[in-house]
Amino acid sequence: MRRRVLQATVAAVTVAVILLGFPLAFIGAQIVRQNELRELDARAAALGRQVDTRLERDIEITESLLDLYVGGDRSLTASVFVITPDDHQLSAGPSVTGQAVQASVRTDQGATVLLFVSRWDLLWVSVRVVLLVIAAAVVAFAAGIAMALWQANRLAAPLVYLAAFAEMLGSGQVRPAVQRSGVEEIDQVALELARSADRMAARLAIERQFANDASHQLRTPLTALSMRIEEITLSAESEEVREEARIALEQVERLASVVDDLLARSRAQGGSTQPVDLLELCEQQVEEWEPAFRAVGRRLELAVEPEVQVLATPGALSQVVATLVENSLKHGAGTTWIRSRPSGPGDGTVLEVGDEGPGVDDELAPRIFEPGVTGGHGTGVGLALARDLVTADGGRLELARRRPAVFAVFLTGVPRSLDPEVMLPTGSVLSTPLARAEPRREDEGA
C-alpha cells in the first residue's frame, strides 16, 4: 500500500515537472534574457539622450556620467563607450573579454553610444532561472514524497489494523473495540467486522460451552463404567470373563483418551494472538527442562535473537516448544538446541528445535504429525496437537530435517514499521467457562 501510494505520487510529480517545469524553465530563461537585452538597449538610449543634451548645451561629457550606465547590482555590468562627433572617445566600466552582446545608439548630434556585456554573463542569468526551476522541482519532489508517506501511513495503518482484526477473528479471539481511521470506506469495513465479531462471540461461546459440557458429561459415565468393569475383573472367577473385562476396560480408557484429545483440539481452535517476546518464552522453557536434560547427561542450549516479537498465543506457543523439547529428550541424543532465524523478506521468524540424535525414520517422517503416529513410547498426540496449535495462530510446524531431526516453527512477526498499538486493536478478549475449566494438559511427545 505505502509503496503504491509513494510510486503514484512520485509519478504524478514527475509528470507535472516534465509537463510544466521544463517549459517553464525554457520560457523563463528566454524571458529573462529578453528583459536583460531590452534593459541594455534602454540604458544605451538613456545615455544617448544625456550625451545629446550636453552636446547641445556645450557641456563637457565626463566619465562620471558614463559610470551611471555601467550597471550595478540589479543589471548586468556593461562596458560603456561614447564617441563624440569630433571622434573623442570616452569609456567606463570593466573591459569585456571574449564574446559580447552589444547595444548601440546613434544620437541626433552625431555621437555614438556603445554598451557591451559579456555573453557568458547574459547566459548565467538564464541559467539561474533554470536552476531556480530545478530547485523548485526538487522541493516539489520532497513535498510530494512527504505527503505520500503521510497519506500512505494514514491509509496503511487502518488496513493493517483490519488485517490483524480479521486474523484474530479467524483464530477465535474477539475484540469488539473499533478505532475510527477517518477514511469512510475503511471505517465501514471495520464496523462490519465488529458486527461479525459480536455474532461470532456468541456463537463461539455456545460452541465452547457445549464442548466443555459434553466432555464433562462423557467423563462421568466413562469413569463409572471403568470402575464397574474393574469390579467385574476383581470379582470374576472365570479367566475368560476377566480377559473380556480387561479388553473392555482398555476400550473404555481408549474412549476416554479420544474424548481428551477432542477436547484439546477444540481448545486449539481459536487462540488469542498477541505480540510475544520469543526469547523470554524460550528462556522459560529452558529453565523448566534443563534439569531433566542434566539428569540424563545432556545439554539444552538456547540461541534466540533478542527483541524478536512474533504474533502468537503465549500459552499455545509455550506448549508447542515444550512438546518439541520433550520429544527431543525422549527420542533424540546429544545436545538439544533452540534457535531462531528470520524467515523470508518480511518480518517472519523461524524457531528451530533440533538435536544430535539418529533422527526420524524415513517411513515415519511423512506421517510424523498424524495423530496416533509415534516412534516409540507415547500416545502420538503431542506433535499432532502442536501442529494444530501453530496452525491456529497462522503459522506452521514442519520437519525441516530428518537426520538429525530438526523441527521448524514458522511464526508471523510483528511488523517493525508500525507501532504494536496500531497493529493490534484494543479491547477485551473473549472469556468462556471452557477456558477457565482446567489448564491444558501436557501431551506426551511423539
Side-chain angles (χ1 to χ4, degrees):
M1 166 62 75
R2 285 185 293 182
R3 184 179 63 183
R4 293 190 184 97
V5 173
L6 185 60
Q7 289 176 344
T9 305
V10 171
V13 174
T14 302
V15 171
V17 169
I18 293 175
L19 295 181
L20 299 177
F22 288 172
L24 178 62
F26 177 76
I27 295 174
Q30 292 297 322
I31 291 175
V32 170
R33 184 177 186 279
Q34 294 298 327
N35 287 339
E36 291 294 338
L37 291 176
R38 283 196 295 269
E39 196 272 339
L40 187 65
D41 291 337
R43 274 194 282 170
L47 179 57
R49 290 192 296 270
Q50 289 288 339
V51 170
D52 269 353
T53 300
R54 295 204 173 198
L55 288 176
E56 288 177 356
R57 298 178 181 180
D58 197 19
I59 301 175
E60 181 184 1
I61 302 175
T62 62
E63 292 184 359
S64 60
L65 174 65
L66 275 60
D67 289 336
L68 298 176
Y69 297 92
V70 170
D73 296 335
R74 298 183 181 180
S75 303
L76 292 178
T77 302
S79 181
V80 181
F81 293 90
V82 174
I83 304 175
T84 61
D86 56 358
D87 291 332
H88 179 63
Q89 181 175 326
L90 298 172
S91 65
S95 60
V96 177
T97 58
Q99 296 182 344
V101 177
Q102 171 186 314
S104 61
V105 173
R106 183 74 176 181
T107 67
D108 295 337
Q109 298 296 324
T112 302
V113 176
L114 299 173
L115 271 72
F116 297 94
V117 296
S118 172
R119 185 180 297 274
W120 293 111
D121 291 343
L122 186 62
L123 178 62
W124 172 242
V125 173
S126 301
V127 170
R128 281 190 298 181
V129 175
V130 175
L131 292 178
L132 181 62
V133 174
I134 293 176
V138 172
V139 172
F141 270 112
I145 292 175
M147 180 63 67
L149 291 175
W150 175 80
Q151 189 68 18
N153 289 331
R154 180 173 176 267
L155 294 176
L159 291 176
V160 174
Y161 171 89
L162 289 180
F165 203 164
E167 187 274 335
M168 282 184 282
L169 288 179
S171 63
Q173 182 181 0
V174 181
R175 292 173 179 253
V178 176
Q179 298 178 356
R180 291 188 176 274
S181 64
V183 182
E184 182 180 357
E185 293 77 5
I186 296 178
D187 289 340
Q188 289 177 353
V189 176
L191 290 175
E192 185 58 34
L193 280 177
R195 286 192 289 267
S196 300
D198 293 337
R199 293 191 295 268
M200 290 181 61
R203 188 176 304 170
L204 192 60
I206 293 173
E207 292 179 356
R208 289 181 173 177
Q209 184 62 47
F210 172 78
N212 184 47
D213 294 341
S215 64
H216 284 288
Q217 291 175 5
L218 285 173
R219 281 198 186 100
T220 300
L222 286 175
T223 302
L225 182 58
S226 298
M227 295 175 62
R228 183 59 180 163
I229 295 176
E230 289 177 354
E231 291 177 0
I232 294 175
T233 303
L234 295 175
S235 61
E237 297 180 357
S238 173
E239 184 65 28
E240 293 182 1
V241 174
R242 287 196 295 270
E243 180 64 20
E244 291 297 328
R246 185 186 63 79
I247 296 175
L249 183 60
E250 291 179 355
Q251 294 294 332
V252 172
E253 291 176 351
R254 186 173 303 167
L255 179 58
S257 176
V258 171
V259 172
D260 291 338
D261 187 18
L262 292 176
L263 179 60
R265 288 178 181 273
S266 68
R267 291 176 177 176
Q269 302 300 320
S272 54
T273 56
Q274 58 184 276
V276 176
D277 190 315
L278 193 58
L279 178 58
E280 181 179 353
L281 184 143
C282 292
E283 285 177 343
Q284 293 174 356
Q285 293 300 318
V286 170
E287 183 179 358
E288 178 179 347
W289 286 98
E290 201 168 24
F293 276 82
R294 284 201 304 265
V296 295
R298 295 175 57 187
R299 289 192 306 166
L300 179 59
E301 296 182 352
L302 179 63
V304 175
E305 294 293 331
E307 299 182 359
V308 174
Q309 288 194 336
V310 296
L311 283 178
T313 304
L317 184 57
S318 296
Q319 182 172 345
V320 170
V321 176
T323 299
L324 296 178
V325 172
E326 183 182 10
N327 189 74
S328 176
L329 177 62
K330 289 184 176 180
H331 307 289
T335 300
T336 295
W337 43 262
I338 305 172
R339 67 188 180 196
S340 66
R341 58 179 174 85
S343 174
D347 296 313
T349 299
V350 179
L351 182 66
E352 296 180 331
V353 179
D355 55 51
E356 301 171 346
V360 181
D361 294 337
D362 293 337
E363 296 180 358
L364 181 64
R367 303 171 55 239
I368 190 68
F369 295 106
E370 295 181 8
V373 176
T374 178
H377 300 290
T379 62
V381 176
L383 288 178
L385 179 58
R387 191 173 206 179
D388 290 342
L389 291 172
V390 175
T391 303
D393 285 340
R396 68 181 191 274
L397 173 61
E398 296 180 355
L399 178 61
R401 191 171 63 195
R402 297 183 181 183
R403 295 186 183 87
V406 177
F407 289 90
V409 184
F410 293 84
L411 300 169
T412 303
V414 179
R416 299 172 184 173
S417 58
L418 295 175
D419 189 274
E421 296 297 329
V422 178
M423 180 64 191
L424 293 177
T426 57
S428 57
V429 181
L430 178 66
S431 177
T432 64
L434 176 61
R436 301 189 301 267
E438 60 181 351
R440 183 181 286 113
R441 65 185 179 86
E442 297 268 336
D443 291 86
E444 296 179 2

